Amino acid sequence: MNTELSTILNGPQLEGVITTEGPVLILAGAGSGKTRVLVHRIAYLIDEKNVSPWQIMAITFTNKAAGEMKNRVSNEIGPQGDGVWISTFHSACVRILRRFADHIGYDTNFSIYDSDDSKTVMKNILKDLNIDSKRWKERFFLGEISSAKNELIGPEEYASRISSDPTQRMLLRVYREYQSRLRASNAMDFDDLIINTVMLFKTDVEVLNNYNNKLKYIMVDEYQDTNTAQFELVRLLAGSKNLCVVGDDDQSIYKFRGANIRNILDFERHFPDAKVIRLEQNYRSVGNILDAANGVIANNLGRKTKKLWTDKNAGEKIHVRGFDSAYEEASYIAGNIKSRVYKGEGRYGDFAVLYRTNAQSRMLEEKFLYENIPYKIVGGVNFYQRREIKDILAYLRIIDNPKDDVAVRRILNVPKRGIGAASENKVSDYAAEHDISFYEALSGARSNPLFGRSGGKLAGFYDFIEEKKLAAGNESVSGLIKSLLEDTGYSAELKAEHTDDSENRLLNLDEFISKAADYETTAEEPTLSGFLEEVSLIADIDSLVEGEEYVVLMTL
């Protein structure tokens, strides 16, 4: 095997594959074959070291990367590869918490809140606490809370760290209320998935020992992008066993999302007996690209020394072109792409346009439409963020987790049932006063004089959901979606509109049903909870389809 590997891997790559014991840091420059190393490392552990597939875990940052690694592992070693635990950080944490969330005070059918859900919760908090939302935006509080969670700082520790500064005291109050409302709704945001798994491991030694005993070899890709919470999760999972991290400090760009560059720079301090392996041969780029990259990156302070090289030729020189306006720039880009495709120098799928902010895409889109150039924006409106999809997802979330107040309030009057904002606020106040969920407050609405004439409508909604909860146990996810669209009158309302927008929304709902049907054919044990989990963990970048013929537009 070693001889065979030596014919397909260079020296440092081979070293990264066969150095399996103890902590290992693989500094992998761009295009240096790190995925190849990880795939062959997994195969080597199974074929040569007789390690059981289920004792190996590989963590990536996107579902797309995880899917690619799964396919390559399966191609390399066959069906055994299916037993290797390959997933993103968030997917791994959800899998753990679905089993053990009840150990830290949640039900295991917890909801996962996306950024829109979090904004809804925060908007209600600011209103209830009489905080001026024109001066203090939801995103300010959510950003500060996320930063604290990334550093494993919960509300109580946050309280011990802050001064008497009024803004910090306000932040603490909002943070406490935000976490309280999420817990009351049996919901977690994306940061909670990590921080709650760390909390689980730190408070339940038996659960941690279970994973420590099971997982003998752990690998983490894109290690430079990990934050403090992810570092602690990896440290606890790995224990004192065999941890291999792969990353490149020169490619660390996610500080604004909480990534901690010290995790990779200080790896040898955290793991004193670590072996450091450098992958410096680049297989992707020509010489001029690497020379320019090395020249720029050499100016970075606090970095691990390495110099990418290639045995390819110098290639074309890098072209830099300046324009007087965004209009001129967009015209040139569209014309250049169209001309090169026309000449047979490339396909539309070979091109990508990168820009600093999403707002810069508008001019490019106009020019691409004018030139009839197919394109796809990554980071635009995610399919699962579209109004009609969010509405039906809210129904599904209530059926799965009735404590989910955000989901209940989203579709309480969708389609219209004659339930106004005043009635909704009465239910909310009643639920808060009696320390019950919004949904529970609906159960006795018909006989509650507080709700007046709206009581029957509120109770009717409650009865409908109860009926669907019973049906869900005997119905497929796609079948449940179809019946919701039919029985609520959602589809009928869109058909009655008979506009281009409503037609597009109906097509999106058909696509949603198809996606649910696809999930049912691919999942080992398809469930409503499993479908909601899969949908909630899909990132924009995961929507890219290999081989499709369109120009990709995205922010850097």
mmCIF file of all heavy atoms in Angstrom, residues 217-236:
data_model
loop_
_atom_site.group_PDB
_atom_site.id
_atom_site.type_symbol
_atom_site.label_atom_id
_atom_site.label_comp_id
_atom_site.label_asym_id
_atom_site.label_seq_id
_atom_site.Cartn_x
_atom_site.Cartn_y
_atom_site.Cartn_z
ATOM 1 N N TYR A 217 -10.289 8.301 15.615
ATOM 2 C CA TYR A 217 -9.536 9.181 14.715
ATOM 3 C C TYR A 217 -10.454 10.308 14.237
ATOM 4 O O TYR A 217 -11.504 10.056 13.658
ATOM 5 C CB TYR A 217 -8.999 8.404 13.505
ATOM 6 C CG TYR A 217 -7.968 7.364 13.884
ATOM 7 C CD1 TYR A 217 -8.370 6.075 14.264
ATOM 8 C CD2 TYR A 217 -6.615 7.673 13.891
ATOM 9 C CE1 TYR A 217 -7.432 5.118 14.640
ATOM 10 C CE2 TYR A 217 -5.669 6.722 14.261
ATOM 11 C CZ TYR A 217 -6.083 5.454 14.642
ATOM 12 O OH TYR A 217 -5.154 4.522 15.027
ATOM 13 N N ILE A 218 -10.042 11.539 14.483
ATOM 14 C CA ILE A 218 -10.841 12.692 14.107
ATOM 15 C C ILE A 218 -10.025 13.602 13.197
ATOM 16 O O ILE A 218 -8.864 13.899 13.484
ATOM 17 C CB ILE A 218 -11.321 13.471 15.350
ATOM 18 C CG1 ILE A 218 -12.283 12.590 16.163
ATOM 19 C CG2 ILE A 218 -12.012 14.775 14.949
ATOM 20 C CD1 ILE A 218 -12.769 13.226 17.443
ATOM 21 N N MET A 219 -10.651 14.033 12.106
ATOM 22 C CA MET A 219 -10.006 14.945 11.159
ATOM 23 C C MET A 219 -10.884 16.178 10.966
ATOM 24 O O MET A 219 -12.101 16.048 10.886
ATOM 25 C CB MET A 219 -9.797 14.248 9.808
ATOM 26 C CG MET A 219 -8.663 13.240 9.808
ATOM 27 S SD MET A 219 -8.795 12.053 8.449
ATOM 28 C CE MET A 219 -9.585 10.696 9.278
ATOM 29 N N VAL A 220 -10.269 17.343 10.909
ATOM 30 C CA VAL A 220 -11.013 18.598 10.729
ATOM 31 C C VAL A 220 -10.417 19.351 9.542
ATOM 32 O O VAL A 220 -9.217 19.643 9.522
ATOM 33 C CB VAL A 220 -10.945 19.492 11.988
ATOM 34 C CG1 VAL A 220 -11.788 20.750 11.782
ATOM 35 C CG2 VAL A 220 -11.416 18.722 13.220
ATOM 36 N N ASP A 221 -11.257 19.657 8.558
ATOM 37 C CA ASP A 221 -10.826 20.411 7.383
ATOM 38 C C ASP A 221 -11.060 21.902 7.618
ATOM 39 O O ASP A 221 -11.870 22.291 8.454
ATOM 40 C CB ASP A 221 -11.617 19.937 6.166
ATOM 41 C CG ASP A 221 -11.004 20.390 4.852
ATOM 42 O OD1 ASP A 221 -9.865 20.905 4.875
ATOM 43 O OD2 ASP A 221 -11.661 20.224 3.805
ATOM 44 N N GLU A 222 -10.354 22.756 6.872
ATOM 45 C CA GLU A 222 -10.499 24.223 6.968
ATOM 46 C C GLU A 222 -10.372 24.696 8.418
ATOM 47 O O GLU A 222 -11.158 25.518 8.902
ATOM 48 C CB GLU A 222 -11.846 24.680 6.377
ATOM 49 C CG GLU A 222 -12.112 24.229 4.967
ATOM 50 C CD GLU A 222 -11.205 24.879 3.921
ATOM 51 O OE1 GLU A 222 -10.346 25.672 4.313
ATOM 52 O OE2 GLU A 222 -11.353 24.568 2.727
ATOM 53 N N TYR A 223 -9.361 24.193 9.103
ATOM 54 C CA TYR A 223 -9.220 24.460 10.537
ATOM 55 C C TYR A 223 -9.004 25.935 10.835
ATOM 56 O O TYR A 223 -9.317 26.419 11.923
ATOM 57 C CB TYR A 223 -8.044 23.623 11.088
ATOM 58 C CG TYR A 223 -7.932 23.627 12.591
ATOM 59 C CD1 TYR A 223 -8.901 23.013 13.378
ATOM 60 C CD2 TYR A 223 -6.856 24.250 13.226
ATOM 61 C CE1 TYR A 223 -8.795 23.010 14.763
ATOM 62 C CE2 TYR A 223 -6.748 24.252 14.607
ATOM 63 C CZ TYR A 223 -7.722 23.633 15.371
ATOM 64 O OH TYR A 223 -7.622 23.647 16.752
ATOM 65 N N GLN A 224 -8.490 26.682 9.858
ATOM 66 C CA GLN A 224 -8.246 28.109 10.079
ATOM 67 C C GLN A 224 -9.547 28.888 10.279
ATOM 68 O O GLN A 224 -9.535 30.013 10.774
ATOM 69 C CB GLN A 224 -7.451 28.720 8.920
ATOM 70 C CG GLN A 224 -8.235 28.985 7.649
ATOM 71 C CD GLN A 224 -8.419 27.751 6.772
ATOM 72 O OE1 GLN A 224 -7.843 26.699 7.057
ATOM 73 N NE2 GLN A 224 -9.212 27.861 5.718
ATOM 74 N N ASP A 225 -10.675 28.290 9.891
ATOM 75 C CA ASP A 225 -11.956 28.985 9.995
ATOM 76 C C ASP A 225 -12.738 28.628 11.257
ATOM 77 O O ASP A 225 -13.876 29.071 11.433
ATOM 78 C CB ASP A 225 -12.819 28.690 8.768
ATOM 79 C CG ASP A 225 -12.246 29.305 7.491
ATOM 80 O OD1 ASP A 225 -11.570 30.331 7.602
ATOM 81 O OD2 ASP A 225 -12.470 28.751 6.403
ATOM 82 N N THR A 226 -12.151 27.820 12.142
ATOM 83 C CA THR A 226 -12.862 27.443 13.366
ATOM 84 C C THR A 226 -12.874 28.599 14.368
ATOM 85 O O THR A 226 -11.943 29.401 14.417
ATOM 86 C CB THR A 226 -12.214 26.219 14.036
ATOM 87 O OG1 THR A 226 -10.819 26.479 14.272
ATOM 88 C CG2 THR A 226 -12.366 24.982 13.178
ATOM 89 N N ASN A 227 -13.948 28.665 15.155
ATOM 90 C CA ASN A 227 -13.992 29.648 16.240
ATOM 91 C C ASN A 227 -13.680 28.958 17.567
ATOM 92 O O ASN A 227 -13.410 27.750 17.605
ATOM 93 C CB ASN A 227 -15.349 30.367 16.267
ATOM 94 C CG ASN A 227 -16.527 29.414 16.441
ATOM 95 O OD1 ASN A 227 -16.445 28.426 17.158
ATOM 96 N ND2 ASN A 227 -17.637 29.722 15.776
ATOM 97 N N THR A 228 -13.742 29.709 18.642
ATOM 98 C CA THR A 228 -13.372 29.160 19.948
ATOM 99 C C THR A 228 -14.292 28.013 20.359
ATOM 100 O O THR A 228 -13.838 26.991 20.887
ATOM 101 C CB THR A 228 -13.417 30.267 21.018
ATOM 102 O OG1 THR A 228 -12.493 31.297 20.646
ATOM 103 C CG2 THR A 228 -13.050 29.739 22.393
ATOM 104 N N ALA A 229 -15.594 28.164 20.104
ATOM 105 C CA ALA A 229 -16.547 27.113 20.465
ATOM 106 C C ALA A 229 -16.267 25.826 19.679
ATOM 107 O O ALA A 229 -16.314 24.718 20.235
ATOM 108 C CB ALA A 229 -17.977 27.590 20.203
ATOM 109 N N GLN A 230 -15.957 25.958 18.387
ATOM 110 C CA GLN A 230 -15.657 24.777 17.567
ATOM 111 C C GLN A 230 -14.349 24.126 18.008
ATOM 112 O O GLN A 230 -14.230 22.896 18.004
ATOM 113 C CB GLN A 230 -15.619 25.178 16.089
ATOM 114 C CG GLN A 230 -16.992 25.522 15.537
ATOM 115 C CD GLN A 230 -16.931 26.287 14.227
ATOM 116 O OE1 GLN A 230 -15.954 26.994 13.939
ATOM 117 N NE2 GLN A 230 -17.975 26.196 13.423
ATOM 118 N N PHE A 231 -13.378 24.945 18.387
ATOM 119 C CA PHE A 231 -12.123 24.398 18.897
ATOM 120 C C PHE A 231 -12.385 23.555 20.140
ATOM 121 O O PHE A 231 -11.857 22.446 20.281
ATOM 122 C CB PHE A 231 -11.140 25.529 19.239
ATOM 123 C CG PHE A 231 -9.977 25.081 20.085
ATOM 124 C CD1 PHE A 231 -8.897 24.423 19.513
ATOM 125 C CD2 PHE A 231 -9.963 25.288 21.464
ATOM 126 C CE1 PHE A 231 -7.828 23.982 20.286
ATOM 127 C CE2 PHE A 231 -8.903 24.855 22.244
ATOM 128 C CZ PHE A 231 -7.832 24.206 21.651
ATOM 129 N N GLU A 232 -13.189 24.077 21.057
ATOM 130 C CA GLU A 232 -13.475 23.348 22.295
ATOM 131 C C GLU A 232 -14.245 22.066 21.998
ATOM 132 O O GLU A 232 -13.997 21.027 22.622
ATOM 133 C CB GLU A 232 -14.258 24.238 23.252
ATOM 134 C CG GLU A 232 -14.478 23.661 24.637
ATOM 135 C CD GLU A 232 -13.195 23.446 25.424
ATOM 136 O OE1 GLU A 232 -12.121 23.895 24.973
ATOM 137 O OE2 GLU A 232 -13.270 22.812 26.497
ATOM 138 N N LEU A 233 -15.151 22.113 21.041
ATOM 139 C CA LEU A 233 -15.892 20.915 20.641
ATOM 140 C C LEU A 233 -14.934 19.837 20.128
ATOM 141 O O LEU A 233 -15.016 18.666 20.529
ATOM 142 C CB LEU A 233 -16.901 21.276 19.549
ATOM 143 C CG LEU A 233 -17.677 20.106 18.938
ATOM 144 C CD1 LEU A 233 -18.666 19.533 19.942
ATOM 145 C CD2 LEU A 233 -18.404 20.537 17.665
ATOM 146 N N VAL A 234 -14.017 20.245 19.251
ATOM 147 C CA VAL A 234 -13.041 19.296 18.697
ATOM 148 C C VAL A 234 -12.139 18.748 19.801
ATOM 149 O O VAL A 234 -11.859 17.545 19.860
ATOM 150 C CB VAL A 234 -12.197 19.977 17.597
ATOM 151 C CG1 VAL A 234 -11.017 19.104 17.200
ATOM 152 C CG2 VAL A 234 -13.057 20.286 16.380
ATOM 153 N N ARG A 235 -11.686 19.621 20.692
ATOM 154 C CA ARG A 235 -10.805 19.192 21.795
ATOM 155 C C ARG A 235 -11.487 18.148 22.668
ATOM 156 O O ARG A 235 -10.890 17.132 23.042
ATOM 157 C CB ARG A 235 -10.412 20.404 22.641
ATOM 158 C CG ARG A 235 -9.333 20.114 23.690
ATOM 159 C CD ARG A 235 -9.128 21.281 24.630
ATOM 160 N NE ARG A 235 -10.283 21.484 25.497
ATOM 161 C CZ ARG A 235 -10.528 20.769 26.595
ATOM 162 N NH1 ARG A 235 -9.717 19.787 26.942
ATOM 163 N NH2 ARG A 235 -11.593 21.023 27.324
ATOM 164 N N LEU A 236 -12.759 18.372 22.971
ATOM 165 C CA LEU A 236 -13.492 17.425 23.814
ATOM 166 C C LEU A 236 -13.740 16.106 23.084
ATOM 167 O O LEU A 236 -13.589 15.025 23.667
ATOM 168 C CB LEU A 236 -14.830 18.041 24.238
ATOM 169 C CG LEU A 236 -14.748 19.184 25.260
ATOM 170 C CD1 LEU A 236 -16.075 19.936 25.336
ATOM 171 C CD2 LEU A 236 -14.359 18.653 26.641
#
